[in-house]
Amino acid sequence: MTFRIADSFTEALDRLTADERDDAKVTAFDLQRDPASPGMQFHRLDKAKDPNFWSVRVNRDLRIIVHRTNESLLACYVGHHDDAYAWAERRKLERHPRTGAAQLVVIRERVEEVVKRVVVPVFEEQQTPQTRLFDGLANDALLSYGVPPEWLDDVRAATEDTFHDVAENLPAEAAEALLQLAVGETPTPRAPVGADEDPFDHPDAQRRFRTVGGVEELKAALDSPWERWIVFLHPTQRDIVERSFNGPARVSGSAGTGKSVVALHRAVHLARREDEARVLLATFSDPLAGYLNDKLRLLVKDRPRLAERIRVDTLDGVADRLYRARIGGDRTVVDEATLRHMLEEAGREIEGPPFAAGFLYTEWRDVVDAWQLRDWDSYRDVARVGRRARLVESRRKRAWQVFDKVRERLAEQGLTTRATLYDELARVFEPGVPVPFDHVVLDEAQDANVAQLRFLGRLAGARPNGLFFAGDLGQRIFQAPFSWRSVGVDVRGRARTLKVNYRTSQQIREVADRLLDDRMDDVDGETEVRRGTVSVFDGPSPEVRRFEGEDEEVEAVGVWLKKHLDDGVAPAAVGVFVRGDGELERAENAIARAGATSVGVGDQSALAKGRITAATMHQAKGLEFRVVAVMACDENVIPNPDRLAGAADMAAMEEAHDLERHLLYVALTRARDELLVTGVAPGSEYLDDL
């Protein structure tokens, strides 16, 4: 007998308490081993419309809902007695008449029990009727996207306000196709399977139903999140992954739209398409690199030799290894504190009005060092790309005297900068020199700097499909903007934007988006239009709360966290984020108040022991959690006063505020289902935007 589990089963399993999950897993193992065992307590559900739905007793109150035939057993749902029975009575398993895919369909006759009512306030003046989003679509078109026949009228009547209420009752492929239509894209209908083929073999069905061959495979499936998103791509994503580009290409989109998934699949696609191709999949932090590497192993677990040709690493890690291999020796990279001290010291030695320390550091980082300017003439003539403040020549000449002194002292002490290291590497890879990688895929590319992009351009930019970038301008938290084209990386005409959010609820996404502009332009004129992005699921509205003091905040956040833990959320699915290291103790205290223990980013062994992640907002990049608390959003914490104090003029101040907003946006969008944002009164100015 074929044994399968549905994604609805694993999602319901995750909502149980830890003890209930253990009991349900034991029963699932028993079902797989011997469903005909006399010890299995099956009960046919007389009120269910689908005659093949049965319940299986787990304990006094817990039941597993299965779809049982002579040939197969499908674990569909698990929950408390009344909840489990109600779930089964509202659904049926059927083959879609057009696509041929197996679907668990919500029964339309019972829709009044599951569809939320939208109450529209009535004002004295006449209201403008809302536009029906899909009124002009023919039945054939809707059916080709997987919409069940009984839901055609509801889909056609859906408006912007009611869309999510309808979509949550549709199979995933139908809801996603409608989301594409809602943001102005044209979905590609799936090719149907033949009438004599297994409906579970359809690609859409394989996203929801997993065939499990043995106890170990079932254990792995139940112990890890449902990974359908990593194995199956939305058609819009797949088009980007498989498209051939004759130059550097970039995919963008707001947080949760699947850019990292696209980057991962792109790396695998390039390695699979060319038998000997060597692919670098890079990012900027060790935790993110580890995350991508784990997902890569999952994606290519049936083709281990393919994984051998894909290197997952941080960009700095790759650069260090290449430097040792191609240039030789180790270079000591100056740390930020030492560099700032050198700049301040040299600034005091120059006659004339003093420079702000913040100005000297950012001018060095974003102009002098970034563009590797080695003499006065070069600095005088540079366009200062990314620096919005004008610098008259007399002041520029004095600034160069400071920078020249710093360059000399770095050389005297045997120190270098990271930008210099990348520049030296870029010079090694002249045209015709063998390169270690045929293709480079860079995730979180919005934070790549001038030197890194120039190096990547030399490494792989000249070849078709050589460079692929995934990033979001709204999550740029480290780098000032600059022209990619000026360093030889031109993505114009090869930039794509994703519009469907798979990770974050509509409510959380809408609140987080209030921190950013509706459209964001890069220096080369490419535009990311953020308006029109939609999430595939609804959830509770985020809470924003202010407290009289830190103790009150810690107490309230602790209570909030404990409630979710008591409701069955696993500690590893919870994250608490703060602006910087100075606020981490508040996060740790709140976690302790919840009766849990905390762990930092990257400690996978501790995560496995069931701890809540406590980290800074910078460390949040690339992570996701079911439940997130963002704490210590105080008036003198975010925006960071040190970053603002380092701004030399109003243009720099505006840039500092942008980066701080982006940082908070990153933290908020780590949440999937539940979000709490707190601070001590009066709180950060950004809380008013939320």
Side-chain angles (χ1 to χ4, degrees):
M1 175 178 285
T2 302
F3 185 81
R4 297 184 178 93
I5 58 173
D7 60 348
S8 52
F9 177 80
T10 57
E11 289 168 358
L13 186 70
D14 196 40
R15 291 192 290 269
L16 301 178
T17 67
D19 289 341
E20 289 172 340
R21 280 196 295 271
D22 290 342
D23 290 345
K25 287 179 182 180
V26 169
T27 303
F29 291 139
D30 292 341
L31 272 172
Q32 184 196 42
R33 274 198 301 266
D34 186 9
S37 168
M40 302 306 303
Q41 300 183 45
F42 282 89
H43 174 71
R44 185 187 292 276
L45 303 182
D46 297 331
K47 294 183 179 179
K49 298 290 185 180
D50 191 320
N52 293 314
F53 271 145
W54 296 69
S55 76
V56 177
R57 180 187 174 95
V58 175
N59 56 31
R60 171 186 261 175
D61 187 43
L62 209 60
R63 300 292 185 270
I64 292 176
I65 301 299
V66 299
H67 190 275
R68 182 186 186 186
T69 67
N70 292 332
E71 297 80 25
S72 66
L73 192 70
L74 171 66
C76 299
Y77 190 78
V78 59
H80 296 280
H81 181 282
D82 292 348
D83 167 58
Y85 276 45
W87 185 93
E89 290 167 9
R90 292 196 300 259
R91 286 166 178 82
K92 58 185 175 181
L93 180 69
E94 64 182 16
R95 181 189 189 111
H96 190 275
R98 177 62 58 83
T99 69
Q103 296 180 331
L104 279 168
V105 178
V106 176
I107 297 172
R108 182 62 188 83
E109 302 92 278
R110 300 294 298 276
V111 72
E112 70 276 1
E113 296 182 10
V114 293
V115 174
K116 293 175 288 186
R117 299 300 179 189
V118 177
V119 180
V120 180
V122 178
F123 302 102
E124 291 184 5
E125 49 188 293
Q126 187 174 1
Q127 299 293 299
T128 303
Q130 284 209 336
T131 303
R132 294 187 176 198
L133 298 176
F134 314 108
D135 208 16
L137 286 179
N139 284 350
D140 275 353
L142 293 174
L143 289 170
S144 70
Y145 298 138
V147 176
E150 59 202 87
W151 282 91
L152 291 173
D153 291 342
D154 297 86
V155 167
R156 193 170 289 105
T159 65
E160 186 174 335
D161 279 345
T162 64
F163 170 72
H164 276 92
D165 298 328
V166 175
E168 68 182 16
N169 292 287
L170 300 177
E173 69 271 19
E176 290 172 6
L178 295 177
L179 281 168
Q180 277 188 276
L181 290 165
V183 299
E185 298 175 359
T186 303
T188 302
R190 290 281 197 181
V193 296
D196 57 344
E197 296 180 69
D198 191 335
F200 289 100
D201 288 340
H202 192 284
D204 287 332
Q206 291 180 19
R207 300 175 63 183
R208 297 185 297 273
F209 307 108
R210 181 182 298 175
T211 301
V212 182
V215 173
E216 288 303 316
E217 193 173 338
L218 178 58
K219 182 178 186 302
L222 297 181
D223 285 348
S224 61
W226 186 266
E227 300 288 0
R228 64 187 183 278
W229 66 270
I230 203 69
V231 179
F232 297 97
L233 289 169
H234 190 278
T236 301
Q237 295 173 325
R238 184 171 298 281
D239 177 68
I240 297 171
V241 166
E242 298 179 353
R243 182 180 292 269
S244 183
F245 297 99
N246 61 2
R250 182 174 70 196
V251 61
S252 60
S254 61
T257 52
K259 300 177 297 298
S260 294
V261 176
V262 168
L264 186 64
H265 278 268
R266 179 71 174 177
V268 173
H269 171 74
L270 293 170
R272 181 178 287 131
R273 191 175 65 174
E274 301 174 28
D275 289 341
E276 302 300 323
R278 298 155 299 172
V279 181
L280 171 63
L281 175 58
T283 188
F284 292 98
S285 71
D286 290 327
L288 279 180
Y291 173 85
L292 288 173
N293 192 56
D294 289 344
K295 299 306 180 186
L296 174 69
R297 302 303 158 189
L298 176 71
L299 191 58
V300 297
K301 62 182 179 181
D302 57 335
R303 300 189 62 181
R305 292 187 180 276
L306 193 68
E308 293 173 1
R309 293 189 285 110
I310 303 174
R311 176 63 177 264
V312 183
D313 207 340
T314 64
L315 201 52
D316 284 350
V318 170
D320 288 339
R321 277 181 278 278
L322 285 177
Y323 192 94
R324 289 192 293 269
R326 297 297 178 97
I327 298 177
D330 285 309
R331 298 289 300 276
T332 303
V333 176
V334 65
D335 61 84
E336 181 180 328
T338 300
L339 180 60
R340 284 182 179 271
H341 177 73
M342 284 184 174
L343 288 163
E344 292 170 7
E345 187 177 57
R348 288 192 293 267
E349 296 171 5
I350 302 300
E351 294 183 1
F355 288 102
F359 165 79
L360 288 174
Y361 175 71
T362 55
E363 185 77 359
W364 168 274
R365 182 194 64 193
D366 298 335
V367 181
V368 177
D369 194 39
W371 298 93
Q372 289 292 289
L373 306 178
R374 303 180 186 278
D375 53 51
W376 158 243
D377 289 343
S378 299
Y379 182 58
R380 178 193 61 204
D381 298 334
V382 74
R384 299 178 74 244
V385 177
R387 300 289 276 167
R388 290 184 275 190
R390 184 172 176 269
L391 194 63
V392 297
E393 183 167 330
S394 60
R395 193 161 180 254
R396 187 181 293 204
K397 184 174 290 187
R398 291 181 54 250
W400 177 253
Q401 295 177 40
V402 175
F403 302 140
D404 201 31
K405 283 180 178 289
V406 170
R407 290 183 65 254
E408 291 175 359
R409 289 170 187 176
L410 287 171
E412 290 169 359
Q413 298 180 33
L415 299 174
T416 190
T417 65
R418 181 64 66 179
T420 301
L421 187 148
Y422 276 107
D423 183 65
E424 292 177 17
L425 270 178
R427 295 174 188 274
V428 167
F429 295 108
E430 295 286 347
V433 174
V435 293
F437 303 104
D438 300 291
H439 307 281
V440 176
V441 178
L442 182 64
D443 194 26
E444 301 292 348
Q446 73 279 349
D447 281 318
N449 60 36
V450 170
Q452 290 166 334
L453 277 182
R454 187 158 44 195
F455 161 66
L456 292 178
R458 187 66 64 86
L459 192 65
R463 292 186 300 282
N465 300 308
L467 291 178
F468 185 88
F469 302 97
D472 172 18
L473 292 179
Q475 296 184 66
R476 179 175 54 81
I477 59 177
F478 294 111
Q479 300 301 325
F482 63 92
S483 169
W484 284 26
R485 188 157 52 104
S486 64
V487 295
V489 178
D490 190 356
V491 299
R492 291 178 303 169
R494 293 181 294 274
R496 305 289 186 270
T497 302
L498 298 172
K499 292 283 192 178
V500 179
N501 186 309
Y502 299 94
R503 184 182 68 211
T504 303
S505 73
Q506 181 82 352
Q507 287 74 13
I508 293 173
R509 183 194 61 75
E510 287 177 343
V511 167
D513 278 352
R514 294 171 190 165
L515 290 168
L516 307 178
D517 293 333
D518 286 340
R519 56 176 288 158
M520 308 188 78
D521 300 307
D522 69 13
V523 176
D524 293 325
E526 289 292 319
T527 299
E528 290 183 13
V529 179
R530 309 182 74 82
R531 180 175 296 176
T533 298
V534 291
S535 298
V536 300
F537 63 96
D538 267 341
S541 296
E543 297 180 56
V544 180
R545 302 174 64 185
R546 294 175 173 88
F547 299 91
E548 291 303 314
E550 293 183 14
D551 291 343
E552 291 87 345
E553 180 192 27
V554 166
E555 174 71 15
V557 174
V559 170
W560 187 83
L561 293 173
K562 187 175 188 306
K563 174 185 178 299
H564 289 294
L565 295 176
D566 290 344
D567 287 344
V569 177
V574 181
V576 182
F577 297 109
V578 292
R579 171 61 180 83
D581 292 336
E583 293 76 50
L584 270 175
E585 185 177 358
R586 283 159 75 175
E588 292 164 352
N589 289 341
I591 293 170
R593 169 62 182 79
T597 52
S598 60
V599 60
V601 171
D603 189 346
Q604 296 302 316
S605 61
L607 282 175
K609 296 176 183 177
R611 300 184 182 180
I612 292 176
T613 296
T616 67
M617 294 179 185
H618 284 91
Q619 295 171 322
K621 290 292 288 292
L623 304 179
E624 63 177 87
F625 300 88
R626 282 185 59 191
V627 172
V628 167
V630 180
M631 294 182 64
C633 295
D634 301 350
E635 184 178 40
N636 293 317
V637 172
I638 185 167
N640 180 264
D642 292 336
R643 175 174 260 176
L644 299 184
D649 48 45
M650 290 305 297
M653 180 72 74
E654 182 181 347
E655 178 64 31
H657 269 288
D658 285 348
L659 293 176
E660 290 290 296
R661 283 179 173 275
H662 294 179
L663 190 58
L664 182 56
Y665 173 82
V666 167
L668 301 186
T669 53
R670 300 311 95 192
R672 173 180 171 83
D673 301 318
E674 300 271 359
L675 173 64
L676 172 66
V677 188
T678 65
V680 173
S684 167
E685 62 191 86
Y686 301 151
L687 296 186
D688 293 331
D689 296 327
L690 303 182

